[in-house]
Amino acid sequence: MFYHLVAELVLTRMQFLFSFDAAEELKDSISNKNHELVLVRGMNLVDEIWGDARPKPPKEPTRVHDIKYAGIDVLSKLSFMRSHLAENGCDAVVISMLDEVAWLLNMRGSDVPHSPVFYSYLIVEASTATLFVDSNKVSEDVLKHLEKAGIKLKPYEAIVSEVERLAEKGAKLWLDSSSVNAAIVTAFKSSCPDVENGALHAVYNVSPVTLAKSVKNEAEIEGMKNSHLRDAAALAEFWCWLEKEVCKKVPLTEVEVAEKLLEFRQKQDGFIETSFDTISGYGANGAIIHYRPTPEDCSSVGSDNLFLLDSGAQYTDGTTDITRTVHFGEPSPRQKECFTRVLQGHIALDVAVFPERTPGFVLDVLARSSLWKIGLDYRHGTGHGVGAALNVHEGPQSISYRYGNLTALQKGMIVSNEPGYYEDNSFGIRIENLLLIKELNLANSFGGISYLGFEKLTFVPIQSKLIDTSLLSPLEINWVNEYHEEVWKKVSPLLSGDSRDWLWKNTRPLLDVTH
């Protein structure tokens, strides 16, 4: 009886918070223990417990994402969706991923920290489209934007009843059961005229928006490039400031350092917010991969150990994510060796050339091979997709040792390149740039297919004092020198005074080494 009650409590809230696939997996796990997960309709036990103390939903207004950043208008995106519906014999598709709704409608919001999205659902049919959202978040400008694309508004809470209406009239729905919540799929199945064969009234497939959103158009790419340069200027000013403060032995905690970085970014045009909680880890804290400092529990940044800073920003025209590891004193030979091998992995992935239709996991070994040669590794993926003025983590592409993701890397996708090494209770190292996948013009085209490579979006110096040049090949030394030359050319026009001097000092070529 106890387990049965717990199952009811979980599923009550789970209907809207868990995808249908996740709910089914949980049901199967519980049934293996001879228990049953029960769908509770008509009331929400969690809300009953909350009572009046439940926090109010966010009320921040939505905004139009300008066509000069979006690149493709809403009508064209809806036409693309409707062609997919027709090809798959469907009457409507339910879009529930917030970044997919935002991308499809060229809108942005502020309901989720670090992500410019808003709570909503969208149903696209052959001739109509309906946005389910709190109307108080929709200004006159946004309303005109939606009306121009023929999009109707309905209350956020009306999504389930609308799905039931579509089911009752025999509509065939496209449902991405990996993302659409259990409440929607369950309501649709139970409302189909032939309940026993409700599954026949739906196509369960990945949302057509997922891949389309991941392949950036020219305007999105331009916005990403521009925002990364402004972000690089902010980081140059920040690193210049921090280096001077640490050298003067000014006491600064990891939290204070992260707050100061935010101040520099806030001065840049188009800055909205950070794209995730800044990972500011000194010494042993840098070895904690997803470390989050708090004012009550954090270290001071000094000159006796490595400092790892992983941060990013949301701008009106793009999203950034960058990690740099530095030492303000004298790094040990061990730290220099580990850093250099991480750098070698970073370079190996950056210069990779690969045939189209290559999934990301195939490239993961390139980032690890230099570490493997001395028996080292890291316990996270090497690269994730990044949205254009959207979520900093975006699918479906990735570069990872997890070989289950067979999504091919495509021209126009953006991925991170972030190998690392973490020595428990000692230090952490990560070097991260964002990369744009581009088509290469090669002398040959074996099999008549295209070959792809990467173009760097991130332009911030990599600390030279941490590099053991005796481990680098001439090609790797040239990569560092050419990268720093490009950093100087692109970012120095945005700087002046001490920060420009800092950039000059930190982009000087490595000494030539004969091998």
Coordinates of all heavy atoms in Angstrom, one line a residue, residues 51 77 97 122 187 197 219 222 246 272 275 277 279 295 303 347 389 406 408 416 464:
G51 N -0.4 24.2 -1.6 CA -1.4 25.2 -1.1 C -1.0 26.5 -1.7 O -0.6 26.7 -2.8
K77 N 9.1 28.8 -41.8 CA 9.4 27.7 -40.9 C 8.1 26.9 -40.8 O 8.2 25.6 -40.7 CB 9.8 28.2 -39.6 CG 11.2 28.8 -39.6 CD 11.6 29.4 -38.2 CE 13.1 29.9 -38.2 NZ 13.5 30.4 -36.9
M97 N 9.1 21.2 -26.6 CA 10.4 21.7 -26.2 C 10.5 23.2 -26.3 O 10.2 23.7 -27.4 CB 11.5 21.0 -27.0 CG 11.6 19.5 -26.8 SD 12.2 19.1 -25.2 CE 13.9 19.5 -25.2
L122 N 3.1 24.4 -28.6 CA 2.7 24.9 -30.0 C 2.1 23.7 -30.7 O 2.7 22.6 -30.7 CB 3.9 25.4 -30.7 CG 3.6 25.9 -32.2 CD1 2.7 27.2 -32.2 CD2 4.9 26.2 -32.9
A187 N -3.5 11.7 -22.7 CA -4.8 12.3 -23.1 C -5.1 12.0 -24.5 O -6.3 11.7 -24.8 CB -4.7 13.8 -22.8
N197 N -6.9 1.0 -30.3 CA -5.9 1.2 -31.3 C -5.4 2.6 -31.4 O -5.1 3.2 -32.5 CB -6.4 0.7 -32.7 CG -6.7 -0.8 -32.7 OD1 -5.8 -1.5 -32.4 ND2 -7.9 -1.1 -33.1
A219 N 22.3 34.0 -41.2 CA 22.1 35.1 -40.3 C 22.5 34.6 -38.8 O 23.1 35.3 -38.1 CB 20.7 35.5 -40.3
E222 N 26.2 34.4 -38.6 CA 26.8 35.8 -38.4 C 26.6 36.3 -37.0 O 27.5 36.9 -36.4 CB 26.1 36.7 -39.5 CG 26.7 38.1 -39.5 CD 28.1 38.2 -40.1 OE1 28.5 37.2 -40.7 OE2 28.8 39.2 -39.8
V246 N 45.4 39.5 -8.7 CA 46.1 38.4 -8.1 C 47.5 38.7 -7.8 O 48.1 38.4 -6.7 CB 45.9 37.1 -8.9 CG1 46.8 35.9 -8.3 CG2 44.5 36.6 -9.0
I272 N 22.4 39.8 -22.5 CA 21.1 39.6 -21.8 C 21.3 38.9 -20.4 O 20.9 39.4 -19.4 CB 20.2 38.6 -22.6 CG1 19.8 39.3 -24.0 CG2 18.9 38.3 -21.9 CD1 19.1 38.4 -24.9
S275 N 24.8 32.3 -19.8 CA 24.2 31.1 -20.5 C 24.2 29.9 -19.6 O 23.6 28.8 -20.0 CB 24.9 30.8 -21.8 OG 26.3 30.6 -21.7
D277 N 25.3 28.8 -15.0 CA 26.1 29.2 -13.8 C 27.6 29.1 -14.0 O 28.0 28.0 -14.4 CB 25.6 28.4 -12.6 CG 24.2 28.8 -12.1 OD1 23.9 29.9 -12.2 OD2 23.5 27.8 -11.7
I279 N 31.3 28.3 -13.8 CA 32.1 27.4 -13.0 C 33.5 28.0 -12.8 O 34.3 28.2 -13.7 CB 32.3 26.1 -13.8 CG1 31.0 25.4 -14.0 CG2 33.2 25.1 -13.0 CD1 31.0 24.2 -14.9
P295 N 28.8 31.7 -1.9 CA 29.5 32.6 -1.0 C 29.8 31.9 0.4 O 30.8 32.2 1.0 CB 28.4 33.7 -0.8 CG 27.6 33.7 -2.0 CD 27.5 32.2 -2.4
S303 N 47.8 32.4 -6.5 CA 48.9 32.1 -7.5 C 49.6 30.9 -7.3 O 50.7 30.6 -7.9 CB 49.9 33.3 -7.5 OG 50.5 33.5 -6.3
I347 N 43.6 20.5 -30.2 CA 44.1 20.8 -31.5 C 43.7 19.7 -32.5 O 43.2 20.0 -33.6 CB 45.6 21.0 -31.5 CG1 46.0 22.3 -30.7 CG2 46.1 21.1 -32.9 CD1 47.5 22.5 -30.5
A389 N 21.6 32.0 -30.0 CA 20.8 32.9 -29.2 C 19.7 32.0 -28.5 O 18.5 32.4 -28.4 CB 20.2 34.0 -29.9
L406 N 23.9 8.5 -32.9 CA 24.4 8.3 -34.3 C 24.1 9.5 -35.2 O 24.2 9.4 -36.4 CB 23.7 7.0 -34.9 CG 24.0 5.7 -34.2 CD1 23.2 4.5 -34.8 CD2 25.5 5.4 -34.2
A408 N 24.5 12.4 -37.4 CA 25.6 12.8 -38.2 C 25.9 14.3 -38.0 O 25.0 15.1 -37.9 CB 25.3 12.6 -39.7
S416 N 30.8 22.3 -29.2 CA 32.0 22.7 -28.3 C 33.1 21.7 -28.5 O 32.9 20.5 -28.9 CB 31.5 22.7 -26.9 OG 31.2 21.5 -26.4
S464 N 50.2 30.6 -22.6 CA 51.4 30.0 -23.1 C 52.3 29.4 -22.0 O 53.0 28.4 -22.2 CB 52.2 31.1 -23.9 OG 51.4 31.5 -25.0

